Amino acid sequence: MKRVQVIDSHTAGEPTRVVIAGGPDLGGGSVAEKLAIFRERHDDFRRAVLAEPRGSDVLVGALLIEPTGVIFFDNACCLGMCGHGAIGLVVTLAHLGRIAPGEHRIETAVGVVTATLHADGSVSIVNVPSHRKAKAVNTGGFTGDVAYGGNWFFLIDDHGQQLHRANVDALTDFAWRARRAVNAGGFPEVDHVILYDGARNFVLCPGKAYDRSPCGTGTSARLACLAADGRLAEGATLVQESIIGSEFTARYRWLDRARGIIEPTITGTAYITAETALVFDEHDPYRSGILP
Ligand code: PYC
């Protein structure tokens, strides 16, 4: 029987499963190079760790690349960056006694981010450079901005939907159709959709699960749009609320104002929920997860 050691946490309600031992050998090289090998040769591992019967669609995986690198993945694919997941990783490393309050460098597949573990347990992530690619894209009856914050997003303010938790089925259906429309409309890279109602958002992730947190990379993309439109000043605080009412705070600084590139900082809190070993029995027909 193979065993994989994991620590589960949630950040603002969104779960992260950090694989701390028993992951596949991805050789030497950068995290981006390791991600390419993970994607190509170890998709069964991604599924086995996250899919039913061991996991659920909501879980986001984080494969720890010692000492502080990480590959993020979800029920559908690998993610470039993950804001809530990075906060969960930092709290996990602190829980293991491997890091102390202060600043830490985390290498992700799309660049290095800087995490600060504060004395009160909250975590700030200085994310990868973020920008808006296209404003007011109108496609298939949906209008929104396309922006990058470590992942690609279609951000919609004008949608006529009720952003309440009781309405997640309808929101999921709407956002899924919006994703198809924006992909068909010339933005195949977009795999997340966000709907806004004031401070609150609804985020649909690539595998059709909705983000219980306000989404760190999505909030970074939002900051890039607000900055480009002059709707939020450099250094000012944005409070971003999720569909379940949890919050991140966020701010940005300009990296290149002429090109609309910002450096976002996202702050949130994570809590450990489990320390466990996943067991893979070679006789179990569903050891690699139930395929969709
Ligand atoms: O917090 O960046 C994030 C995120 C991406 C997908 C789920 N959460």
Side-chain angles (χ1 to χ4, degrees):
M1 297 223 198
K2 182 175 159 58
R3 285 183 155 71
V4 171
Q5 251 187 296
V6 301
I7 307 272
D8 287 353
S9 61
H10 78 84
T11 306
E14 178 76 352
T16 306
R17 171 164 284 175
V18 180
V19 176
I20 57 168
D25 179 4
L26 302 176
S30 66
V31 168
E33 286 163 342
K34 287 181 172 159
L35 170 68
I37 294 171
F38 185 69
R39 236 188 216 135
E40 202 179 291
R41 302 189 204 150
H42 299 287
D43 207 47
D44 56 337
F45 182 85
R46 177 187 64 77
R47 261 199 333 265
V49 166
L50 292 192
E52 295 179 20
R54 237 171 247 101
S56 84
D57 281 355
V58 185
L59 271 178
V60 172
L63 176 60
L64 177 64
I65 308 289
E66 301 280 1
T68 57
V70 64
I71 291 173
F72 292 112
F73 49 100
D74 72 4
N75 57 334
C77 58
C78 293
L79 301 168
M81 223 311 264
C82 179
H84 94 267
I87 294 170
L89 173 66
V90 169
V91 167
T92 296
L93 292 173
H95 175 75
L96 291 169
R98 296 190 191 175
I99 62 169
E103 219 173 84
H104 304 278
R105 183 182 179 277
I106 300 177
E107 185 185 351
T108 76
V110 292
V112 172
V113 304
T114 306
T116 302
L117 174 60
H118 302 287
D120 67 357
S122 64
V123 178
S124 296
I125 305 289
V126 180
N127 195 9
V128 294
S130 302
H131 69 282
R132 177 165 68 190
K133 182 175 183 182
K135 181 177 164 74
V137 173
N138 190 307
T139 176
F142 300 91
T143 303
D145 292 356
V146 172
Y148 178 77
N151 295 300
W152 282 99
F153 292 85
F154 189 34
L155 305 96
I156 305 177
D157 280 287
D158 187 9
H159 45 70
Q161 302 295 306
Q162 301 282 323
L163 261 58
H164 298 306
R165 206 172 151 198
N167 204 25
V168 293
D169 288 349
L171 295 171
T172 299
D173 176 63
F174 181 91
W176 195 251
R177 287 189 287 112
R179 176 180 162 181
R180 289 206 169 145
V182 76
N183 290 161
F187 300 93
E189 67 274 36
V190 170
D191 57 4
H192 292 70
V193 175
I194 311 190
L195 314 180
Y196 290 94
D197 179 6
R200 176 168 282 217
N201 72 16
F202 171 82
V203 184
L204 194 66
C205 297
K208 224 176 182 180
Y210 72 91
D211 196 336
R212 275 65 172 165
S213 86
C215 192
T217 50
T219 300
S220 300
R222 178 64 161 178
L223 286 171
C225 297
L226 295 174
D229 288 336
R231 290 169 62 196
L232 186 75
E234 184 176 28
T237 298
L238 173 77
V239 179
Q240 183 65 69
E241 190 189 316
S242 74
I243 191 73
I244 69 161
S246 59
E247 286 180 356
F248 287 161
T249 57
R251 61 179 194 280
Y252 73 89
R253 81 178 176 92
W254 284 110
L255 290 178
D256 184 338
R257 193 187 281 253
R259 292 167 60 215
I261 302 173
I262 62 156
E263 178 188 76
T265 300
I266 310 295
T267 300
T269 306
Y271 299 92
I272 302 297
T273 54
E275 304 175 293
T276 192
L278 307 178
V279 176
F280 298 84
D281 183 335
E282 63 183 84
H283 303 295
D284 177 356
Y286 297 113
R287 66 186 170 280
S288 293
I290 299 172
L291 295 177

